[in-house]
Amino acid sequence: MKYANREWFYSYRKIFNVCSEKKMVSTVDKISKQYSGLTRNWTTSTNSEWTCRHYLATKMILNATVLTNALDFSSSVGMRIANPYFEYYATLSLLRALVYTIPSKSWDEGELISISHSKAINLAFDWLAKFDTATANKLKSLTLQLKSQREVISYRAPASGDSILSCSYDLFELLIILAEAAQLNSELLEASVKKNASHENFVVEYKHTQQISMLEVEGFTFCDREDSYRLDYIQRKQPYPLNLALTMTEGQVEDFIGSWDDSEEGGFNAGSPADWQKIFDIP
């Protein structure tokens, strides 16, 4: 689609309505200059880091998709106690997706992956404020509301159940704008890489893939073989940062979402690809 003096790969649903076209042109130009600062000094390590950051961001979009499908399922079977978790953690996933694409945010040897909730909230909405401060403030307030409602269930065990919680908000407006802000960033980085970077640096390094596929939490180590497989594919087939919609593959999407399906009758099922498009145009 064409908008703000550019051709865009992705067909955006909401983010171009956040501000005027004139403001969008100005904001996109400023962000592009930030990416140019990166890509004019592009190295093998920088390339590897940002390719992995984009892969991580796609996983966060897919995770939010699974969580919102689980939200639909829990509502349909009367498990409302889980709904505040699904709503907030879908939002947190997309906050992180956006943060992973912010050019000024350091990878910090992989520590960015587990950025705290409060930092993710502040960084993401500071970034959205570049487009429109009022929208950023409104969506940040909603995110804090979702966080507080999840904490009410977790820490106070309300005797009134969820009747004291609010549901008068547009969850998907929030989720779509966050996902699209990350996608927009990724398109600008991809364009800058193609313009400024040398193909000699299009390498994905093992240290970055291992930081994603191997993790330790509270002394317990987890190895994600599917991450290793997908990152190996990226190393061989697309070893530089493409935009998020292009980074996703049909195989990745089907395996990620399908891994949460329950084979038992009446269990959770994420549905068909037609059910996966509420937040993002997933291949």
Side-chain angles (χ1 to χ4, degrees):
M1 66 184 300
K2 188 170 184 178
Y3 188 78
N5 297 340
R6 287 178 179 265
E7 286 288 345
W8 299 93
F9 176 84
Y10 188 79
S11 295
Y12 294 92
R13 308 177 203 173
K14 289 189 178 290
I15 199 164
F16 289 157
N17 298 324
V18 164
C19 61
S20 68
E21 186 169 9
K22 182 179 179 180
K23 179 65 181 295
M24 184 63 67
V25 169
S26 172
T27 302
V28 164
D29 285 347
K30 289 175 182 176
I31 295 171
S32 295
K33 288 178 182 177
Q34 287 188 259
Y35 285 121
S36 292
L38 280 173
T39 59
R40 286 174 180 164
N41 299 286
W42 205 244
T43 65
T44 298
S45 181
T46 310
N47 179 84
S48 179
E49 170 196 324
W50 278 94
T51 303
C52 289
R53 286 170 73 145
H54 278 197
Y55 171 73
L56 269 174
T58 67
K59 290 211 305 172
M60 294 299 105
I61 292 172
L62 295 176
N63 199 53
T65 300
V66 171
L67 288 166
T68 52
N69 285 345
L71 173 65
D72 290 341
F73 178 79
S74 69
S75 298
S76 70
V77 298
M79 290 181 58
R80 300 191 317 277
I81 194 171
N83 288 2
Y85 294 90
F86 294 140
E87 292 182 339
Y88 174 64
Y89 283 106
T91 303
L92 180 63
S93 294
L94 294 171
L95 292 169
R96 285 179 162 155
L98 177 52
V99 169
Y100 296 155
T101 68
I102 292 176
S104 57
K105 191 58 189 168
S106 170
W107 176 247
D108 194 20
E109 295 300 320
E111 292 298 313
L112 183 63
I113 297 171
S114 54
I115 187 172
S116 71
H117 295 213
S118 59
K119 287 183 179 178
I121 290 169
N122 289 331
L123 283 166
F125 291 110
D126 284 350
W127 189 261
L128 279 181
K130 294 176 182 291
F131 299 89
D132 184 69
T133 302
T135 299
N137 289 340
K138 180 185 79 169
L139 297 180
K140 183 176 183 178
S141 177
L142 171 53
T143 298
L144 293 174
Q145 178 184 345
L146 297 175
K147 184 174 184 286
S148 69
Q149 294 190 162
R150 186 267 300 177
E151 291 178 355
V152 165
I153 298 297
S154 298
Y155 306 138
R156 298 302 294 268
S160 300
D162 62 355
S163 66
I164 63 173
L165 307 183
S166 171
C167 59
S168 58
Y169 44 79
D170 188 342
L171 176 66
F172 283 94
E173 178 188 39
L174 168 63
L175 301 182
I176 291 168
I177 288 174
L178 289 173
E180 290 188 351
Q183 169 64 22
L184 185 146
N185 284 353
S186 72
E187 289 203 50
L188 297 179
L189 176 60
E190 180 186 354
S192 191
V193 167
K194 289 179 176 177
K195 179 180 179 180
N196 297 322
S198 168
H199 287 215
E200 294 176 357
N201 292 318
F202 289 176
V203 176
V204 177
E205 298 176 344
Y206 176 72
K207 69 175 182 179
H208 292 122
T209 64
Q210 188 180 41
Q211 286 166 348
I212 294 172
S213 62
M214 297 284 293
L215 62 152
E216 184 176 316
V217 181
E218 300 290 349
F220 293 91
T221 301
F222 301 88
C223 177
D224 194 322
R225 294 181 180 178
E226 183 65 20
D227 271 335
S228 296
Y229 172 76
R230 293 296 165 194
L231 289 164
D232 179 69
Y233 175 88
I234 286 172
Q235 283 179 309
R236 292 181 290 106
K237 299 293 187 179
Q238 55 178 67
Y240 69 95
L242 301 175
N243 72 71
L244 303 187
L246 267 181
T247 300
M248 286 185 188
T249 65
E250 290 185 10
Q252 175 200 4
V253 169
E254 290 172 0
D255 288 347
F256 187 102
I257 296 178
S259 68
W260 293 102
D261 284 349
D262 193 332
S263 59
E264 297 293 329
E265 184 177 353
F268 173 69
N269 186 289
S272 69
D275 302 312
W276 305 341
Q277 312 300 321
K278 291 181 181 178
I279 299 169
F280 195 79
D281 293 344
I282 291 175

